[in-house]
C-alpha cells in the first residue's frame, strides 16, 4: 500500500512539473460538446417524410413522445406512414391523433385495446394493422437495434402467428381479408418447435425520457421506460424528447438508461399533459358494497384466484380482471408481481396522493411499486417471461378447451383487442397458467368447450380455470377435473352450463 501511495505522489509531481499537461486536463474538463439539442419539436422532426417507418415509444399514454407526435400531426404533408408502436394511444390523444388525421397507412402493434377509432379503421378496411405479440415486438425491435436480423421463439407456435392468415387489411366494407399475415418459418430445438421472427428498424425513432443531456444520454422514470428503451436503439435517426435537460456530467454513468451514441436529436418538450389512460384508485371493503353486480362478480372470481399465490412467488397478472388480484394478496405472504410493461414488485392501485402518470400496469391503470420493486424496459420484461423466471401467470379468457387451449384476443370481424403479451406469457414452458373468466358468455353460451371456435392464444397451455361457478384443473391426457364449487352451485348445474365432459374430484366441495 505504501508503494502505491509513493507511486501516486511521484506521478502527481511529474504532472505539476509539466504545465502543458495541466492545460490539457483543464480543457478536457470544460470542453465544448457537440450539442444535439433542438429548439422546437418542429425542428426535431425535420426530415420525416411520407412513407417513412416510425418507431414510437410509450405504452398506452405512459411515456409517449407527445410533443413530437403533435408536431407530425401539424404536418399534413407527411402521409402514408408505418407506425411501429405497442398500441396507438386513445382516439383523441397520442398516436391516435395521427390515425384521426389519416397520416398512418400501417400500424405494427400488439394491442388495439379501447381505441375505437383504431378498431373502426382496421375493421372497415381503411388501415393496415400487423398484429404482433408484445414480447415478440419488443424483441424484434431490440434485435433490429443490435444488428441481429432474426431470432427463434416459442411465442405463437400453434396459432395463426405461425400458420399465417391474421388479417392485416380487410377489403373496404367487407369482412373479406385483402392482406393476410404470412406464415412463419419454424425449426426444432431440443425437441420443441420454434418460429422465426425478423428484427425491426425504422427510419426515425421517436422516444420520450424523463431527463437527458445535450449528448443524448437518457434516463427514464418508472414504467415510462417500456418500449422507449428498445425503440431508441433501432432508429436510423433517434429523436428523444425529455422533460428536463441537465448539464453534461450530472447524470451518473451507471444511471444512464440509453447512451448518447443511439440518440441524434434531443428536445425539451414544450408542454406535457401526461394523461393517465385509466386512473384507477384503491377500493376499501366499504367501497366494494357500492360496486355494480358485474364488478362484484369479477371480484368474487379474483378473490378465489388470489388463493393461488404462494409465499415468494413471481407472478404476472394479465390485463382486466386478473390485475384486481393485487388487491387481495394475503398480507402474511410475499408475492412479487410482474407487469409486462416493465415493473417487478407492483403494488396495489394508488390512493389519490400516490398517483403518478409514469406508473401504470399492463392494463394502463395507475398502480404503485412496493419497496424493493424495480422498473425496466419491455424487452427486459419479456426476457424474464421467456426465460422462465415467472412461477405463475393469471390471465383472462374468452374460451378454454378441455385440453387447455386458450383463446382471449379476438372475435374475427367483430372484436379486436390484439394479443398483447398473452401469447408470450402462455408460451413460457415452466410457468403455471391460471385463467379467470365468467363461466358463460352474456348470451348464456359456454366458454369452456371441447374445442375452441375462436383463434388461439396458445395450445395446451392452461393449468387451471377459475370461474364464478367453479374451479377446473386441466389434466394432461385426460381433460378437465372439477376441483371446487362456488357457493350455491351443484355438480349437475356445472355439467349443464359447460360445453364439454369432465371428471369430478372425489373431494369436490363448495369453497368460495
Amino acid at each position: 500500500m505504501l508503494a502505491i501511495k509513493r507511486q501516486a505522489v511521484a506521478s502527481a509531481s511529474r504532472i505539476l512539473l509539466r504545465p502543458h499537461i495541466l492545460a490539457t486536463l483543464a480543457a478536457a474538463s470544460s470542453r465544448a460538446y457537440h450539442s444535439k439539442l433542438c429548439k422546437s419539436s418542429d425542428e426535431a422532426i425535420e426530415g420525416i417524410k411520407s412513407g417513412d417507418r416510425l418507431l414510437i415509444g410509450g405504452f398506452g399514454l405512459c411515456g409517449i413522445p407527445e410533443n413530437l407526435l403533435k408536431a407530425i400531426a401539424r404536418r399534413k404533408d407527411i402521409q402514408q406512414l408505418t407506425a411501429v408502436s405497442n398500441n396507438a394511444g386513445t382516439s383523441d390523444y397520442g398516436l391516435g391523433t395521427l390515425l384521426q388525421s389519416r397520416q398512418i397507412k400501417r400500424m405494427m402493434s400488439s394491442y388495439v385495446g379501447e381505441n375505437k377509432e383504431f378498431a373502426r379503421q382496421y375493421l372497415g378496411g381503411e388501415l393496415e394493422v400487423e398484429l404482433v405479440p408484445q414480447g415478440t415486438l419488443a424483441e424484434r425491435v431490440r434485435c433490429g437495434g443490435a444488428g441481429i436480423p432474426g431470432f427463434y421463439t416459442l411465442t405463437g407456435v400453434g396459432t395463426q402467428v405461425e400458420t399465417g392468415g391474421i388479417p392485416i387489411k380487410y377489403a373496404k366494407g367487407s369482412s373479406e381479408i385483402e392482406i393476410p399475415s404470412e406464415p412463419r418459418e419454424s425449426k426444432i430445438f431440443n425437441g420443441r418447435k420454434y418460429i422465426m421472427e425478423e428484427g425491426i428498424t425504422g427510419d426515425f425513432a421517436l422516444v420520450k425520457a424523463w431527463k437527458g443531456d445535450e449528448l443524448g444520454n437518457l434516463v427514464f422514470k418508472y414504467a415510462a421506460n417500456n418500449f422507449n428503451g428498445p425503440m431508441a436503439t433501432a432508429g436510423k435517426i433517434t429523436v428523444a424528447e425529455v422533460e428536463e435537460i441537465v448539464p453534461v456530467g450530472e447524470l451518473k454513468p451507471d444511471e444512464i438508461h440509453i447512451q448518447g451514441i443511439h440518440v441524434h436529436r434531443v428536445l425539451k418538450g414544450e408542454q406535457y399533459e401526461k394523461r393517465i389512460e385509466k386512473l384507477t384508485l384503491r377500493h376499501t371493503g366499504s367501497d366494494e358494497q357500492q360496486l355494480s353486480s358485474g364488478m362484484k362478480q369479477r371480484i368474487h372470481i379474483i378473490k378465489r384466484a388470489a388463493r393461488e399465490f404462494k409465499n415468494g412467488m413471481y407472478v404476472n397478472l394479465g390485463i382486466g380482471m386478473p390485475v384486481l388480484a393485487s388487491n387481495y394478496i394475503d398480507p402474511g405472504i410475499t408475492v412479487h408481481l410482474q407487469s409486462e410493461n416493465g415493473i417487478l414488485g407492483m403494488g396495489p392501485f394508488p390512493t389519490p396522493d400516490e398517483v403518478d402518470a409514469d406508473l401504470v400496469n399492463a392494463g394502463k391503470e395507475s398502480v404503485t411499486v412496493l419497496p424493493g420493486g424495480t422498473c425496466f424496459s419491455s424487452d427486459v420484461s419479456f426476457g424474464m417471461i421467456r426465460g422462465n423466471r415467472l412461477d405463475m401467470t393469471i390471465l383472462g379468457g374468452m374460451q378454454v378447451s378441455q385440453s387447455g387451449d386458450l383463446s382471449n384476443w379476438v372475435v374475427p370481424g367483430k372484436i379486436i383487442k390484439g394479443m398483447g403479451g398473452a401469447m408470450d406469457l402462455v408460451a413460457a414452458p415452466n410457468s403455471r397458467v391460471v385463467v379467470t373468466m365468467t363461466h358463460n358468455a352474456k348470451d348464456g353460451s359456454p366458454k369452456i368447450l371441447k374445442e375452441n371456435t375462436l383463434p388461439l392464444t396458445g395450445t395446451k397451455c392452461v393449468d387451471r380455470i377459475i370461474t364464478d361457478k367453479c374451479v377446473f384443473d386441466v389434466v394432461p391426457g385426460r381433460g378437465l377435473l372439477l376441483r371446487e364449487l362456488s357457493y350455491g352451485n351443484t355438480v349437475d348445474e356445472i355439467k349443464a352450463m359447460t360445453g364439454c365432459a369432465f371428471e369430478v374430484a372425489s373431494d369436490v366441495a363448495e369453497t368460495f
Side-chain angles (χ1 to χ4, degrees):
M1 180 62 72
L2 183 59
I4 293 174
K5 289 182 178 178
R6 287 173 177 168
Q7 185 179 0
V9 170
S11 298
S13 298
R14 284 194 296 272
I15 291 173
L16 290 173
L17 293 172
R18 298 180 182 180
H20 67 281
I21 295 179
L22 289 174
T24 301
L25 291 173
S29 65
S30 60
R31 66 189 174 97
Y33 298 101
H34 170 65
S35 178
K36 300 177 181 180
L37 298 181
C38 296
K39 296 179 181 179
S40 68
S41 53
D42 293 320
E43 178 188 340
I45 67 163
E46 282 184 4
I48 295 178
K49 62 185 183 304
S50 295
D52 276 351
R53 176 187 282 183
L54 306 183
L55 311 182
I56 300 171
F59 188 93
L61 298 181
C62 179
I64 61 171
E66 51 188 280
N67 290 284
L68 297 174
L69 293 174
K70 289 176 182 177
I72 295 173
R74 291 193 292 268
R75 288 281 305 277
K76 303 305 181 186
D77 58 307
I78 300 176
Q79 299 287 325
Q80 299 290 298
L81 295 169
T82 293
V84 182
S85 178
N86 182 63
N87 47 14
T90 59
S91 297
D92 64 343
Y93 205 71
L95 195 52
T97 59
L98 300 187
L99 291 175
Q100 290 277 14
S101 59
R102 302 297 196 277
Q103 290 172 267
I104 296 177
K105 176 184 178 182
R106 174 177 286 207
M107 286 290 307
M108 294 180 67
S109 301
S110 82
Y111 195 66
V112 175
E114 291 71 42
N115 189 326
K116 294 181 180 179
E117 181 62 17
F118 190 172
R120 189 197 66 75
Q121 288 188 26
Y122 173 51
L123 294 174
E126 301 173 22
L127 177 70
E128 297 175 12
V129 178
E130 186 175 342
L131 289 167
V132 184
Q134 190 177 136
T136 296
L137 181 63
E139 188 66 10
R140 288 180 67 182
V141 174
R142 188 200 71 82
C143 284
I148 299 170
F151 62 96
Y152 284 91
T153 178
L154 285 168
T155 301
V157 171
T159 74
Q160 282 187 298
V161 172
E162 177 189 359
T163 61
I166 298 175
I168 291 177
K169 186 176 187 300
Y170 288 100
K172 284 189 177 181
S174 168
S175 59
E176 180 183 345
I177 300 173
E178 188 172 293
I179 304 175
S181 66
E182 296 292 327
R184 299 295 197 266
E185 175 187 320
S186 65
K187 189 172 182 178
I188 303 298
F189 294 91
N190 299 318
R192 297 200 63 166
K193 181 192 285 188
Y194 289 70
I195 58 176
M196 194 185 80
E197 298 284 358
E198 296 183 0
I200 294 174
T201 57
D203 298 294
F204 282 78
L206 310 180
V207 301
K208 157 69 169 40
W210 177 33
K211 295 180 180 180
D213 62 26
E214 61 182 301
L215 294 181
N217 296 311
L218 305 177
V219 172
F220 303 110
K221 184 181 178 186
Y222 297 139
N225 193 332
N226 53 60
F227 272 84
N228 282 300
M231 296 293 191
T233 69
K236 294 176 184 176
I237 297 175
T238 292
V239 186
E241 67 168 74
V242 301
E243 294 181 42
E244 183 181 348
I245 298 289
V246 301
V248 171
E250 182 170 316
L251 300 176
K252 295 178 181 179
D254 57 352
E255 71 179 355
I256 292 169
H257 293 127
I258 294 295
Q259 298 73 31
I261 193 170
H262 298 294
V263 180
H264 304 84
R265 303 174 190 173
V266 180
L267 166 74
K268 185 181 186 302
E270 292 96 337
Q271 182 179 4
Y272 286 105
E273 291 188 45
K274 296 187 71 170
R275 294 186 189 179
I276 298 174
E277 191 166 340
K278 297 179 182 178
L279 177 60
T280 311
L281 302 177
R282 193 177 309 167
H283 291 296
T284 64
S286 58
D287 290 334
E288 289 181 10
Q289 303 306 314
Q290 310 301 319
L291 298 175
S292 66
S293 58
M295 180 57 74
K296 288 179 180 178
Q297 182 186 48
R298 298 173 78 194
I299 289 176
H300 174 66
I301 296 169
I302 216 64
K303 281 184 174 180
R304 169 58 191 84
R307 296 184 199 171
E308 300 294 307
F309 296 134
K310 302 294 184 292
N311 195 34
M313 271 187 165
Y314 288 88
V315 180
N316 180 282
L317 302 178
I319 65 173
M321 192 190 312
V323 169
L324 297 171
S326 64
N327 295 291
Y328 300 102
I329 298 173
D330 184 336
I333 67 173
T334 298
V335 177
H336 308 280
L337 297 180
Q338 197 251 22
S339 186
E340 62 256 38
N341 58 310
I343 302 174
L344 183 63
M346 184 173 67
F349 297 132
T351 63
D353 293 338
E354 295 173 324
V355 172
D356 191 315
D358 292 315
L359 266 180
V360 300
N361 61 24
K364 292 87 174 175
E365 299 165 307
S366 47
V367 292
T368 57
V369 175
L370 299 175
T374 59
C375 296
F376 34 84
S377 61
S378 295
D379 56 314
V380 171
S381 180
F382 281 94
M384 297 175 185
I385 292 166
R386 280 191 304 273
N388 284 313
R389 303 304 181 190
L390 297 180
D391 298 296
M392 182 170 66
T393 293
I394 301 180
L395 294 169
M398 294 178 179
Q399 292 179 345
V400 179
S401 77
Q402 62 184 1
S403 59
D405 300 333
L406 173 65
S407 300
N408 73 349
W409 68 276
V410 64
V411 178
K414 295 181 180 179
I415 300 174
I416 176 65
K417 295 293 184 182
M419 61 280 288
M423 285 190 178
D424 306 274
L425 287 161
V426 302
N430 297 329
S431 178
R432 178 173 170 81
V433 175
V434 176
V435 171
T436 56
M437 62 182 186
T438 55
H439 202 94
N440 299 88
K442 291 181 179 180
D443 63 2
S445 60
K447 292 184 175 182
I448 301 172
L449 306 165
K450 185 175 181 180
E451 292 183 354
N452 293 27
T453 60
L454 297 175
L456 297 180
T457 304
T459 62
K460 298 181 180 178
C461 57
V462 178
D463 296 289
R464 172 161 283 188
I465 309 166
I466 300 174
T467 77
D468 53 319
K469 306 296 182 183
C470 66
V471 175
F472 281 115
D473 279 345
V474 181
V475 182
R478 287 170 50 188
L480 298 180
L481 177 65
L482 181 63
R483 284 288 191 187
E484 302 174 31
L485 296 169
S486 178
Y487 292 121
N489 292 279
T490 67
V491 172
D492 286 340
E493 288 172 339
I494 300 300
K495 287 180 178 178
M497 62 181 68
T498 303
C500 62
F502 55 85
E503 298 178 33
V504 180
S506 59
D507 60 348
V508 67
E510 297 179 9
T511 62
F512 69 105

